[in-house]
Amino acid sequence: MTLSLISLLYKDIAELWLLLKKCTDEIMHQDIIPLYAADIQDQLKKQFAYLSGGRGGDGCPVITFPDYPAFSEIPEKEFQNVLTYLTSIPSLRDAGIGFILVIDRRQDKWTSVKASILRIAASFPGNLQLVLVLRPTGFFHRALSDIAFRFNRDELKMKVPIIMLGSVSELQGYIDKTQLTEDLGGTLDYCHNRWLSRRTAIEGFAQKVKQTAQILQSFGTELAETELPNDVQSTSSLLATHTEKKDKMKEDIRVAVEQGDDILGSITKPVTENPEYKLNQDQLDNQTTVERLLAQLHETETAFDEFWIKHQQKLEQCLRLRNFEQDFREVKASLDIVSERLSAFTDVGNSRSHVEHILKDLANFEEKSHETVAKARMLASERDAFIQSNHYAVDSIIPKCSELHHLCDAFTTETERRRNLLNKSLELHDLLEKSMKWCDEGIYLLASQPVDKCQSQDGAESALQEIEKFLDTGAGNKIKELNKIYREYAHILNEDLKEHVQKVFQKQESMEEMFQKRQVSLKKLAAKQTRPVQPVAPRPEAFVKSPCTSPGLQRENVSNSESSALRRVNYRKAKSEMTELHQSRGGSTMDDEENLAVLRQHVMNELIETERAYVEELLCVLEGYAAEMDNPLMAHLISPELQNKKDILFGNMEEIYHFHNRIFLRELETYVEYPELVGRCFLDQMEDFQIYEKYCQNKPRSESLWRQFSDSVFFQECQRKLDHKLSLDSYLLKPVQRITKYQLLLKEMLKYSKNCEGAEDLQEALTSILGILKAVNDSMHQIAITGYDGNLNELGKLLMQGSFNVWTDHKKGHTKVKDLARFKPMQRHLFLHEKAVLFCKKREENGEGYEKAPSYSYKHSLNMAAVGITENVKGDAKKFEIWYNAREEVYIIQAPTPEVKATWVNEIRKVLTSQLQACREASQHRTLEQTQSLPLPLPASSCASPSRNHTRNTKKMEEKKADLTSLEGCGTTVAPKYPEKGKGWAKPSHSLDASEENDGWSSAEEPLNSSDAEEEGGGGGGEMKLTPGKYTVVTDYDKGVSEEFTVKSGDLVQLIREGEDGLWFVKNLSSGREGWIPANNLLMLIGNSKSAQSLSSSESGTASSNLSTSSSCSDSCNVSSTSFSDIKG
C-alpha cells in the first residue's frame, strides 16, 4: 500500500512539475526580439523614422520618415538598428503583407530625396508594398524633382515602387486621414515620447515575465530533486527554507503582475476615459501582448501553486514521519526499560507479608509505567490518522504501530500474569499459614487437656468431644492433598517454597497422628467399666516420650513443641522482612546502575542487530547483482559498455562482506553479555576497517557508472528478483552509511559506560573510528589531485588537508614577487604528508553527485626533511610560516581560524620531531659503533678524554643514547648529558659545510642572539636558573606532587610560576593537565632545552670538527654533531 501511495504521490508531483515546466518553457521559448527599445533608446529618440500605428487600406503598417535635415549624417549602424526594430514590432501577419513608407521631404532638396530613397530601399529589412514621397515644395526643387524623377523613373522602379506626391491631400488619397499623424494632415494621435516609454515598459515587462518563469522553473527543479531528510531538525529546516523561497517567489510574481496591470491600464486609459476612443492597431497589438503575458504569468503561478501544495504535503508528511520515528524510538526504548524492570519481578515471596510487599511494589511500578504505556498506545493510535491522510510511508508506520500495540499488550499481559502469580502465591501462603495456625491450635489443645480429669469416663468423653470438634474445623484450614497442592500451584512452586509446603504438611500429619493416638486413648477411657479397676492415667509417652509422668511436665513439653514451631514461623517471617528491607535499601542505590545496564544492553542489541542486517544486505547485493553479472543466462541483458565493469561498480564490497561476516560480527556476538567491553572488539579489528578507505575512494567511479546504466534492464530484472523496493545505488551506499554509524553507537555506549571497566577502550575505539572517517575524507580529497608526476603513496601517510591563503616571500628571485607577496594571497589547498607538503589549486567541477567534487591542480611540493616552521607571524593570530632551505623560500600561511592553525602547527611539529628523533637515533647508533671500534678525538669542551678507558666512553654513550628526545644534540657522543656547574654547553666548531645562518632557530618575533646563548650556556659558574616559558620534556616523570600529573618524554610543558619550597607550577600542554614539580626534578626533566618558536628537522647549527661534512636528516643522518632548537608551543 505504501509503495502505491508513494508512487501516486510522486506521480502527482511529477505531473504537476511537468505542467509547471511546460508553462515556463512556453514563456522562455517565445520569439526572441533581435533588439529592445531600451538598447537603442537614444537612436529612437532622434525620430528620423517612427511607427505611428497607422495602417494602409489592406492593413499594411505605415512607417513614417519625417523631415530630418541630418538624415544623411545618420550612421549606417543606427539606421539599420532603428529600421530593424520598427519592422519587428507589427505581427508577422501584418509584416508579411508589407510596409508602406511615407517619406516627408517637403523641405528638402531633390538630391537629398533621391539619396534618401535609395538608402531606405537598400537598408530596409522588411517587405515593401509602397513608398510615398512628399517631394520638395520649393518651385525650383519641385520642377527639378519632376524632371529628375522622369529621367530616373526606371532606375527607381527597379528598386522599390515609388509614388511622388506634391501635397498632403494627395497622400490622403493613398492613406486614410485617420491613419496619418497631425504633421501629415491626419488625425491620428501620436506622441513619440509616449510611444517610446510604452514600448520600453512592455518589453521590460516581457523580460520580467521570462525571468520570473526561469526562476520558477529553477526553483521547481530544486524542489523536485530534493531528497527527504532523515531527521526532524533537517526536515523542519528544509521545510522552512523552501517555504521562505516560495514566499519570495510569490512576491516576485505579485510585483510582475502589478507591473503588467499598470502597463495594460495605461494602454486602455484613453478608452476608459472616452468610450468612443478607438485604439490604433499598434495599441491593440500592445494590449494583446500584455494580456497574453499576464495570462501566461497567471497560468504559471497556478501551476506553481499546485506543485508547491504537493511538495509541501510531501515535506509535511516527511516531517510528521520523522517526528513519529523519533517518538517511536523514545517510546520503544522506554518500553524496553519498563519491560526489563518487569522481568525482575520473578520472586513469588516466602511469606504472606513478603508477597504483599511485592504486590505493592508491582502496583507502584505499574502506576509509574502507566504514562509510558499510555504514551505508546497514543502513538500507536496515530496509525488511523496516517492511513486517512494517505501518508506515503504508511506501510512502514503500520508495523511500528503494531509493534507498539504488541509491546503494550505484552507488557499488560505480563503484568497481569505476574499479579496472578503473586495472588496465587498469596493464596498458597494463606493456606499454609492457616494450616500452621490450625496445627498450633491443635498442639495447644492437646497440651491443655488435663490428664487427671481424662481418667474419668466423663472427663474422657469431654476431652474426646473437644478433639472431635477441633478436627471438624480442619476442613477449611488444613492441607488435604499434597499432590493437589503441587498441581494447583506448580507454576509458582520453587525449591524453597516447595520445601516449605512439605514441612507444613509434615507438621500437619504429625499433629493429626497425635490427635489419632489421643482419640484412641480417650475412647478406651470413655468405655464403661464392668469391674472396679484402679484408674490408670493415659500413657503420656504416646504424645511426648519423657521419663517424667507428671502432667505438668507433659504440658511443658507440649508447650515447648508449640513454641518451637512458633519460633520457626517467626524466624521465617523475620528472614523475609530482612530480605525485603535489604532489597529495598539496595534497590534504591542500584536503580541508576540498572538503568544504565539496560541502556547499554539496548545499544549492544541495536549494534548486533544492525550488524546482522548489514551483513545480510551485503550478501544480498553480492549474490543478487554482482554474481548475476557473471551469469551466462543474464548476459543478454547486460549492455557491452557495462561488461567487465563489476569491480568498478561494486569496489571491494566482497572484501568488506567477508570481514564483517567471518570476523567482526562473530567477535561482536561474544560481547553480547558484556556490552561495556565492546570497545576492545573495535580496537582489535581497527586495522581491518582501513578497507573502507579503498571503497570510498572508488565510490565516485561507481556512482558515475551507475548513472550511465541505472536504466539498464539487467538492474531492473535483478531488483525484481530480489523484490527490493530500492534500487542498487541505495545498497551501494550502505558501506558508507555503516562506517559512519559505528561512531554514533560508540558514543551512545560510552555515554552509558563512563564508570565501567571498558570506558577507556570505548573512548579509544571512538577516537580511532573518527580517525578512520577523517582518513577516508582526506583520501577522497587526495585522489582528486591532478598533475603530480610521482607516486603519492611514496610521500607517506596523509596527515592533514585544507584550504589556506598563501603568500610567498623568497630571498631568491625577482624582487617584484617579493613585493607582491604581501598584497596578493594565493588560494591554495595544502596536503600534509609524512614526507612532503603539497601545494595545490582547488578547481570546482560541474556535474552531479561525486562528479561535482572539486579537483586539485598540483603546483609544487616541499620535502619535509628540509622544512622549518615559524608558529607566530606579527599582526595575525591565524598566520604561520613554512620555510625551506634556510629561509630561501618562505611561505606565509593564513588559516581560516586560529584553531585550524594550531592543529596544523602541532601536526607539522610532530612530523619534524619524529624526523629529528629518527635522525638522532641513527646518528647516535653510528657514532657508538665508531667509538667502540676507533675512538675519535674529543673537542676541548668535552668532559671526557680520549685517553680515558673504553668503559667510561661506552657508559656515556649509553646515557646519551637513552636521551632520545633531547633536542640539544643529534649525534654528539662526548658532550655531557647535563651541563656541569661552571661550564656551558659544548660549542661545536664550524666546518666548511656548516650553515652560518640562524634564521630557522629563532622566533619570528624574538630571535635568539649570542647573548641569549651565553645566558643559557652558562659560564657564570652557577646552576641553571629556571624561567617561565615552554619546554620539551626529555625524560618520563610520574612522581609529581599530584598523582594525576605525569609527563612523558617528548611532551611540551609550560612553566607558569614558581611557588614555595622550591616547587614550580607546570602545565602539560600535551595532556592539558597541571601540577607542581620540584625544581631539581624539573631541571632533570627539561635538561637545558631552550625556549624557541621555530623548528626544523633539516637545518643544523654547526658541525663537529671531527667530521668534514654535514648534512640534513634527509641525507641518512650523516651528521656527527647537529644542534636543533627546541620546540616552543
Side-chain angles (χ1 to χ4, degrees), residues 13-30 213-214 216-218 220-221 295-297 299-304 307:
I13 293 178
E15 290 177 353
L16 293 173
W17 161 239
L18 292 176
L19 178 60
L20 174 62
K21 190 174 184 301
K22 179 182 178 182
C23 294
T24 54
D25 285 343
E26 288 179 358
I27 296 175
M28 291 189 294
H29 293 150
Q30 290 176 357
Q214 289 175 342
L216 273 177
Q217 188 177 86
S218 177
T221 304
Q296 290 176 340
L297 196 57
E299 183 181 1
T300 303
E301 182 181 13
T302 302
F304 175 74
F307 174 71

Side-chain angles (χ1 to χ4, degrees), residues 53 169 193 380 459 473 550 648 686 713 765 780 844 925 929 931 1032 1061 1098:
S169 58
N193 290 333
T473 62
S550 171
I648 297 177
M686 196 56 64
V713 179
M780 296 296 289
E844 298 291 343
H925 179 69
E929 291 179 349
T931 304
T1032 301
D1061 300 329
S1098 64

Side-chain angles (χ1 to χ4, degrees), residues 46 72 239 268 277 386 445 598 707 843 853 873 1048 1115:
K46 294 180 179 180
S72 60
L239 180 59
T268 58
Y277 184 87
F386 280 106
L445 176 63
V598 171
R707 279 198 300 272
R843 302 184 185 279
V873 177
K1048 296 181 179 180
D1115 296 328

Side-chain angles (χ1 to χ4, degrees), residues 589-702:
T589 58
M590 297 299 292
D591 190 46
D592 292 340
E593 181 57 33
E594 291 177 359
N595 291 345
L596 292 176
V598 171
L599 291 171
R600 286 195 297 269
Q601 193 61 51
H602 180 73
V603 175
M604 189 67 191
N605 292 339
E606 181 180 357
L607 175 59
I608 293 179
E609 289 173 5
T610 54
E611 185 70 16
R612 289 170 180 164
Y614 174 55
V615 170
E616 291 177 1
E617 288 172 343
L618 292 181
L619 179 61
C620 188
V621 171
L622 292 173
E623 291 183 349
Y625 286 97
E628 290 296 306
M629 292 186 73
D630 299 328
N631 185 358
L633 299 178
M634 300 284 286
H636 65 285
L637 299 177
I638 304 176
S639 59
E641 295 82 2
L642 186 59
Q643 292 179 355
N644 302 322
K645 298 289 181 64
K646 184 173 72 172
D647 292 340
I648 297 177
L649 186 60
F650 298 96
N652 62 331
M653 181 181 284
E654 185 174 356
E655 182 183 7
I656 294 175
Y657 165 72
H658 288 312
F659 161 63
H660 285 272
N661 183 50
R662 298 174 181 174
I663 301 175
F664 190 61
L665 177 57
R666 297 181 183 179
E667 290 293 325
L668 277 180
E669 290 172 342
T670 61
Y671 288 88
V672 65
E673 299 295 336
Y674 313 99
E676 65 276 5
L677 303 179
V678 75
R680 299 177 185 173
C681 179
F682 279 89
L683 292 176
D684 292 342
Q685 311 301 330
M686 196 56 64
E687 291 185 3
D688 293 322
F689 280 104
Q690 304 294 334
I691 57 180
Y692 279 91
E693 186 172 339
K694 180 179 178 182
Y695 185 85
C696 293
Q697 287 178 352
N698 180 69
K699 197 68 176 69
R701 300 174 62 204
S702 173

